Amino acid sequence: MLVYEAPNIIKIIYEEANGLFIHEWLEYNPEDQDKAVLEVLQKIYELMLEYPAQKVLVRGDKTRGVFSPEMQRYIRDVQFPRLVADTQLKYVATTVKEGVIEKMGAVVW
């Protein structure tokens, strides 16, 4: 069931039977507006508190843009630690555009 939508940015679907959220990102950096992304990240946190889910699938294969460096730091230093500490989150998987993995250096792995 669709539990949240920020038009042209993200749709969040919750599958109760699978304990799964699906985040369908359309835009990671809408018009360089980190405020909109922060609002989405806060909503993700609130939904994870409200609904029992251990898994998140991030669909990024059709997403435009990249998170700004500030948002990347926020996700790394604040968002993920909060989600792990305060919710039932155990697994996160992300789909990416074809060819992205091949372009990553061996250092990432």
Side-chain angles (χ1 to χ4, degrees):
M1 102 180 117
L2 181 67
V3 292
Y4 178 76
E5 181 174 10
N8 300 315
I9 299 175
I10 192 172
K11 290 181 184 178
I12 300 177
I13 298 161
Y14 175 65
E15 292 186 356
E16 182 178 9
N18 296 311
L20 169 70
F21 275 105
I22 301 171
H23 299 173
E24 294 182 356
W25 283 91
L26 302 172
E27 177 71 57
Y28 284 139
N29 193 1
E31 300 177 17
D32 297 320
Q33 294 181 17
D34 282 349
K35 182 181 180 202
V37 175
L38 277 173
E39 290 172 3
V40 168
L41 294 175
Q42 179 61 31
K43 189 62 178 179
I44 288 170
Y45 176 74
E46 292 169 3
L47 289 169
M48 290 291 299
L49 291 174
E50 182 178 348
Y51 294 92
Q54 292 187 329
K55 300 170 271 191
V56 173
L57 173 61
V58 180
R59 294 191 58 201
D61 54 313
K62 296 179 182 168
T63 309
R64 292 182 306 266
V66 296
F67 289 119
S68 71
E70 293 81 13
M71 286 299 94
Q72 290 178 33
R73 282 189 290 278
Y74 178 83
I75 292 167
R76 180 192 67 214
D77 298 340
V78 178
Q79 183 79 3
F80 265 43
R82 283 176 52 195
L83 287 171
V84 171
D86 299 344
T87 72
Q88 299 177 29
L89 180 64
K90 300 281 186 228
Y91 308 99
V92 177
T94 303
T95 62
V96 295
K97 293 177 182 161
E98 187 175 339
V100 169
I101 298 296
E102 290 84 9
K103 293 177 185 175
M104 290 183 182
V107 175
V108 173
W109 305 106

